Amino acid sequence: MTARNGDGFSEAGLRRLREVLARHVESKRIPGLVALVGRGGHTHVEAMGTMHRDGGPPMRRDTVFRMASASKPVTMAAAMVLLDECRLRLDDPVDPWLPELADRRVLKRPDGPLDDTVPARRPITVRDLLTSTFGLGTDFELMDAPIRKALFERTDYSIVSGPAPEPDEWMRRLGELPLSYQPGERWQYDLSNEVVGVLVSRVAGVPLETFLRERVLGPLGMRDTGFHVPEEKIDRLPTLYGPDPRTGEFLVWDEAVGGRSSRPPAFQGAGGGLISTVDDYHAYFRMLLAGGTLGGERILSRTAVELMTTNRLTPVQLAARTSMFRDMAHLAAGQAQHGGWGFGMAVRTQRVDYAPLGQFGWDGGTGTTAYADPENGLVGILLTQVGMSTPDSARLIHDFWTTLYQAID
């Protein structure tokens, strides 16, 4: 698609963006990618490379990708619907819906033994879960702590660990553990989003995907977004690779046919389980940029969108988040540099690279990135099938954003 004058991208800028993306594919470190940039009335898509590392079908605009943690901004909308309808309240304890998290014990030291605890000073609230501050999660400063090992054994469902059990059993296992920190004390990554998915399902009385489809995905026309790829679409799903960190050799993390994404999961992971396309994600982020509406359909209130897409962390919580990511920024596409965190997504609160303040969105460990920029009315989405076990996909993502901002007319 060719840009026209007044559409917001320069011809030279889009040509340079194409050249930068092509360079990564030609390096043989990224088998294929699909990128979408949208601004005003213009949408520009690039599909490059192939579905498999050794060739095969070409990438297409409708290729479906495993979104990994880029799922978080989308699944969070289900919780925001419940807040809009007063079926959830930010500062209510979650105990009535998540009794497994009632009467918590908290470690005396985050890196201490699991039986050395004190009572929680207060219950876990809805706000604690939505801001990732409920007391448990991935913490890069506690990777060798007993609580990290226990969490991994009980709740992890990554490619390495295998599928998770159904939600009630998953919550039972989580409820056996103490918290690392007092509720509301510290931002920790990922786990809270999974708990939010269970919370939504229990409050709504239906599976998370059912509620998400009825209230968000369906109204937005996101027909290719869900927690697995049905058989009739499986030819649109590429192989997922995780390069060997030492040799760069492509290791298969997940095949398409017969792989984990080809069947409905017992646990619908709100933190990283979605499958989607660039056009579906474009519709979602356009809705956020428009204050909760798209095509005359209101999905969320304007105030709900503002809550999601502006910083919700205190200075102390922000400092902990920055510290946690600092030592692995070379693999995280600049995740240490966003500053703020809203509900389910990063929010730029400091200017350290080409993106302006206010940009919001998130990245995924399978080589995905999706952000919107209110200042420029811009949406950018880049999807690959190369996990961030090496810096290759993170560098591609960095170069995509750097070049995209130069293409703004």
Side-chain angles (χ1 to χ4, degrees):
M1 185 181 297
T2 303
R4 301 178 299 277
N5 290 337
D7 276 331
F9 297 109
S10 71
E11 293 278 3
L14 289 178
R15 185 165 57 250
R16 186 153 183 264
L17 175 64
R18 184 182 308 115
E19 291 168 355
V20 167
L21 296 178
R23 191 166 69 226
H24 282 272
V25 174
E26 290 162 2
S27 75
K28 305 299 184 184
R29 294 187 177 94
I30 304 292
L33 60 86
V34 182
L36 180 150
V37 297
R39 187 173 185 233
H42 178 67
T43 302
H44 182 86
V45 176
E46 297 284 355
M48 298 181 180
T50 57
M51 302 272 279
H52 309 294
R53 70 173 183 85
D54 52 357
M59 286 287 187
R60 307 185 324 195
R61 180 169 181 160
D62 67 350
T63 297
V64 289
F65 291 86
R66 303 161 185 85
M67 299 304 296
S69 285
S71 304
K72 290 175 170 64
V74 174
T75 56
M76 185 58 69
M80 304 311 293
V81 169
L82 295 175
L83 285 175
D84 274 346
E85 295 179 348
C86 298
R87 297 164 74 181
L88 283 176
R89 300 176 188 88
L90 282 173
D91 294 309
D92 275 357
V94 298
D95 300 3
W97 304 286
L98 302 173
E100 299 92 342
L101 297 184
D103 303 318
R104 289 294 79 204
R105 305 287 299 182
V106 182
L107 294 174
K108 288 183 180 177
R109 294 194 345 264
D111 60 350
L114 299 183
D115 58 357
D116 190 15
T117 64
V118 296
R121 289 194 287 265
R122 63 165 176 81
I124 295 167
T125 65
V126 173
R127 187 188 301 272
D128 296 329
L129 289 179
L130 300 191
T131 55
S132 295
T133 60
F134 84 104
L136 279 174
T138 299
D139 192 323
F140 302 116
E141 296 177 0
L142 296 177
M143 297 306 280
D144 296 323
I147 188 62
R148 167 60 182 168
K149 182 174 185 292
L151 273 175
F152 187 84
E153 290 174 348
R154 286 168 171 80
T155 67
D156 187 75
Y157 66 101
S158 65
I159 298 297
V160 175
S161 304
E166 49 82 28
D168 290 349
E169 170 61 17
W170 189 87
M171 284 299 305
R172 185 194 67 78
R173 296 179 187 181
L174 182 64
E176 293 176 342
L177 298 175
L179 304 180
S180 300
Y181 293 93
Q182 291 285 343
E185 183 178 354
R186 183 178 172 91
W187 186 90
Q188 293 176 290
Y189 186 53
D190 194 44
L191 189 66
S192 66
N193 293 92
E194 309 293 13
V195 181
V196 168
V198 180
L199 175 66
V200 167
S201 176
R202 290 184 178 179
V203 173
V206 295
L208 170 62
E209 183 170 14
T210 300
F211 187 72
L212 192 65
R213 191 167 302 286
E214 290 175 353
R215 304 304 301 274
V216 180
L217 306 180
L220 290 176
M222 298 172 67
R223 292 182 292 274
D224 290 324
T225 303
F227 288 99
H228 83 289
V229 182
E231 185 177 357
E232 66 271 17
K233 297 180 182 180
I234 201 70
D235 63 323
R236 293 162 52 192
L237 178 70
T239 302
L240 174 64
Y241 299 102
D244 186 301
R246 294 162 298 177
T247 67
E249 176 190 0
F250 280 100
L251 306 176
V252 174
W253 275 359
D254 193 36
E255 293 283 10
V257 177
R260 292 180 58 175
S261 300
S262 68
R263 52 190 179 270
F267 186 88
Q268 296 171 353
L274 287 183
I275 311 291
S276 194
T277 64
V278 290
D279 282 297
D280 276 13
Y281 258 59
H282 188 212
Y284 181 76
F285 278 87
R286 282 171 59 209
M287 178 272 291
L288 294 183
L289 280 181
T293 66
L294 188 68
E297 185 90 25
R298 177 158 293 282
I299 309 300
L300 299 171
S301 68
R302 180 174 295 276
T303 45
V305 173
E306 290 170 354
L307 278 171
M308 294 174 72
T309 61
T310 55
N311 177 53
R312 306 264 60 85
L313 300 185
T314 67
V316 172
Q317 292 166 344
L318 281 174
R321 178 175 180 269
T322 301
S323 173
M324 281 172 54
F325 276 103
R326 185 180 295 125
D327 292 338
M328 50 93 68
H330 66 291
L331 285 179
Q335 287 176 348
Q337 301 175 2
H338 295 101
W341 188 262
F343 289 161
M345 66 188 84
V347 182
R348 296 267 176 180
T349 57
Q350 52 194 24
R351 186 70 183 261
V352 294
D353 56 20
Y354 284 69
L357 303 185
Q359 185 205 46
F360 55 82
W362 197 227
D363 311 289
T366 49
T368 59
T369 185
Y371 287 80
D373 168 4
E375 179 178 316
N376 292 293
L378 173 73
V379 176
I381 301 155
L382 172 67
L383 309 180
T384 80
Q385 80 274 54
V386 180
M388 290 191 188
S389 51
T390 65
D392 296 318
S393 56
R395 287 169 177 160
L396 164 63
I397 289 169
H398 173 276
D399 294 352
F400 167 72
W401 287 108
T402 298
T403 314
L404 172 55
Y405 273 104
Q406 297 174 63
I408 295 175
D409 190 1

